Amino acid sequence: MPLAYLDLETTSVNPHEARIVTACVGRVDVERIMFLADPGIEIPAQATAVHGITTDQARNGMPHERVVASLIGEMRSAWDAGYIVAAFNACYDLTVLHTQSGGEFTVDGPVVDPFVIDRALDPYRRGSRKLADVCAHYGVRFDAAHEAASDALAAARLAWKVGRRFPELAVTADELMELQQRWHRARQDSYIDYLLRQGKSADDVNRNWPLQSAA
C-alpha cells in the first residue's frame, strides 16, 4: 500500500489532555501539509523545551479546532484513497486526535507503527527506542527530533524499512492491524508484570492500540 504519515507536537505527554501545537500530515507522493495551531492555552515550559514553540509563537497559528478538523479530513482522505498511515508511537497521536475531536475521530483505516513493530520483532536489542535511535539502527535519514515534518517523514521511512527487514510483515493490512494490537498488548502486559514485581503501580500503563482507553 502507498504510505501516508502523521506527527503531532503538543502541550503535554498525556494524550487525553494534550492540545496540538504543530502537526504534519502527508503522503509520500504528495506534498506534505504543515500546521501551526493556537492551542488556546499556555504551552508549558517543558513542552516548549521539547518542540521549541512558545505560547506567543503559537498564537499566530490557526485556531485549534480548525487544525484538528483539517487533520482528521486529511487522514480520512488518505484512507479513502487506499493509503496506510505511518506514525511512530501512533497510539499517542491518534488518541490526541480522538480526544480533541470529542470522539469524532476514529481509526477507520490501516496504520503502521514502527515503534510497536520494532519492539516486537527485535525485543532484545539494547539501547533506546526513541525515534532518533531507531532511525539510526535502521539507517534511516532523520533531520531533527520533535519537529513535526521530520518526525512524520522518519516514521514513513522506518515503515518502509521494517516492512522489508521482517518477513513477518508480508501480510494484509487487516492482519497487520491485528498483529500490532497483539504485540502492543503483550509488551505492555510484560511491563505491567515488571512494575508489579517492583511493588509499583501499573494503573497508568496503556494496553490498547491504536487508541488508548479513556483516562
Side-chain angles (χ1 to χ4, degrees):
M1 299 176 70
L3 277 164
Y5 48 79
L6 171 74
D7 184 74
L8 310 178
E9 300 298 324
T10 67
T11 59
S12 172
V13 297
N14 182 345
H16 298 288
E17 66 182 29
R19 293 176 69 83
I20 298 166
V21 179
T22 62
C24 177
V25 63
R27 310 177 192 182
V28 293
D29 53 349
V30 180
E31 185 176 357
R32 63 182 180 265
I33 304 172
M34 295 289 300
F35 295 95
L36 173 65
D38 178 359
I41 63 172
E42 293 287 321
I43 299 175
Q46 303 96 308
T48 295
V50 172
H51 52 61
I53 306 298
T54 66
T55 300
D56 287 343
Q57 290 171 319
R59 284 175 179 151
N60 295 315
M62 290 173 57
H64 190 262
E65 293 75 13
R66 282 182 55 196
V67 171
V68 171
S70 296
L71 288 167
I72 293 172
E74 291 297 326
M75 292 281 286
R76 289 175 173 164
S77 176
W79 281 325
D80 288 344
Y83 285 74
I84 185 169
V85 177
F88 191 83
N89 194 16
C91 202
Y92 176 84
D93 300 78
L94 300 179
T95 301
V96 171
L97 286 179
H98 178 76
T99 302
Q100 291 302 321
S101 66
E104 176 189 345
F105 173 75
T106 54
V107 179
D108 300 322
V111 176
V112 54
D113 188 341
F115 177 66
V116 169
I117 292 169
D118 176 61
R119 293 199 308 171
L121 300 185
D122 194 2
Y124 303 114
R125 186 178 79 247
R126 293 186 177 182
S128 167
R129 302 284 174 152
K130 292 181 180 179
L131 178 57
D133 299 302
V134 176
C135 284
H137 175 73
Y138 288 99
V140 165
R141 174 183 166 187
F142 183 60
D143 299 319
H146 300 295
E147 196 279 319
S150 176
D151 288 8
L153 287 169
R157 292 168 181 150
L158 279 172
W160 191 91
K161 283 275 189 173
V162 298
R164 283 146 186 81
R165 175 76 62 91
F166 299 108
E168 299 94 321
L169 299 177
V171 296
T172 68
D174 288 342
E175 289 169 339
L176 179 61
M177 293 294 285
E178 292 176 5
L179 284 172
Q180 290 175 107
Q181 290 171 343
R182 189 188 314 153
W183 288 337
H184 176 79
R185 178 157 294 191
R187 179 75 181 219
Q188 298 302 84
D189 285 344
S190 177
Y191 183 49
I192 288 171
D193 289 342
Y194 166 78
L195 290 175
L196 294 178
R197 289 197 305 270
Q198 300 295 315
K200 299 178 181 179
S201 172
D203 292 345
D204 294 334
V205 177
N206 165 54
R207 299 176 67 245
N208 296 325
W209 185 96
L211 288 177
Q212 290 191 21
S213 56

